[in-house]
Amino acid sequence: MKLVSLNISMPITVDYQGKPVQTGIFKNPVGQELLLSTTQLEGDGQADLVNHGGADKAVCVYCAEHYTYWQEKLQRQLPYGAFGENFTIEGLLESDIHIGDTYEIGSAVVQLSQPRQPCFKLALKHGVKDLPVQVQETGYTGYYFRVLQEGCVSAGQTFRLVERQPLAITVTTANRLKYVDKSDTTAIRQLLSVGALSDSWRAFFEKRLENPE
């Protein structure tokens, strides 16, 4: 369980389908130690503060293990940070990590809050119109950490499990409930019982229970 790359960028404005779009998705690896606050990494920024960043989504995480698949699929080399992630990690796949799991990394403590929901800015970055859908369908979405304790982090550090959420609902399961098994109300209620679930995903699933499809 290792942080293999630490990636940051400030938002820039780019052209997308003839319109200017502000985005912070063009992350670049950095070698120095950075302060991780409760809202973001030092030197990093997000353009869309409704869907990115903030207390529940302070750190965007992607798994290094998925890079081989995407490099073959997209027929190009992809540097770490290519999916807009702050942390590129190995050893903590979506199928292995649970909503609410808490880890120590460097002098910081982080907690998994929700899966990452792929958006159009992946298509913008890579020039592949349906890439967000592809990412969603593979289940290689990545996820978000909230920061329980601010601290300094750097590439090469290992994650230490502090607490495993007892209900053990994986990111893979949460994705399945959002995109595939939309009527599995028993599992949805179980997910909602996890206090660490982000406010946005909680609101989404509460609304689904009120208005089932």
Side-chain angles (χ1 to χ4, degrees):
M1 300 187 296
K2 182 179 178 182
L3 176 58
V4 297
S5 185
L6 190 60
N7 317 298
I8 60 172
S9 70
M10 294 302 294
I12 61 172
T13 301
V14 298
D15 180 82
Y16 182 63
Q17 298 182 345
K19 296 180 180 179
V21 174
Q22 269 208 322
T23 177
I25 200 170
F26 292 90
K27 306 297 184 194
N28 294 301
V30 293
Q32 71 266 35
E33 184 178 71
L34 296 177
L35 174 65
L36 177 59
S37 75
T38 55
T39 55
Q40 62 187 32
L41 271 170
E42 176 186 356
D44 192 51
Q46 302 85 31
D48 178 3
L49 296 177
V50 173
N51 296 303
H52 303 283
D56 280 346
K57 293 175 279 189
V59 184
C60 184
V61 181
Y62 205 67
C63 301
E65 291 89 341
H66 301 331
Y67 269 77
T68 299
Y69 172 86
W70 290 115
Q71 286 176 159
E72 293 177 355
K73 183 77 172 177
L74 301 178
Q75 292 293 294
R76 68 188 72 168
Q77 287 296 115
L78 297 170
Y80 290 141
F83 290 86
E85 77 270 19
N86 301 117
F87 284 5
T88 313
I89 67 175
E90 61 182 18
L92 288 172
L93 294 171
E94 291 90 346
S95 56
D96 300 328
I97 194 167
H98 313 98
I99 308 297
D101 282 357
T102 303
Y103 291 87
E104 184 179 69
I105 178 72
S107 57
V109 177
V110 296
Q111 182 183 59
L112 199 154
S113 59
Q114 67 165 75
R116 189 252 189 97
Q117 188 169 343
C119 75
F120 79 94
K121 290 181 179 177
L122 284 171
L124 176 158
K125 179 178 174 68
H126 295 286
V128 180
K129 186 176 180 180
D130 68 341
L131 186 56
V133 175
Q134 291 187 47
V135 170
Q136 177 184 307
E137 290 178 346
T138 60
Y140 299 162
T141 59
Y143 42 87
Y144 283 103
F145 284 141
R146 65 167 58 87
V147 178
L148 301 184
Q149 176 182 299
E150 295 185 345
C152 292
V153 297
S154 61
Q157 292 174 329
T158 57
F159 288 86
R160 183 181 71 84
L161 180 64
V162 175
E163 182 179 2
R164 188 176 300 282
Q165 212 289 329
L167 289 177
I169 299 174
T170 65
V171 171
T172 297
T173 296
N175 278 328
R176 174 180 62 80
L177 294 174
K178 187 173 181 69
Y179 303 117
V180 182
D181 295 330
K182 300 179 181 181
S183 61
D184 189 346
T185 56
T186 299
I188 290 172
R189 292 181 190 282
Q190 187 178 45
L191 175 60
L192 287 170
S193 72
V194 178
L197 183 68
S198 71
D199 288 345
S200 60
W201 274 55
R202 181 173 302 281
F204 173 85
F205 281 112
E206 286 175 345
K207 185 176 180 180
R208 178 174 286 176
L209 288 178
E210 294 172 2
N211 303 285
E213 296 182 3

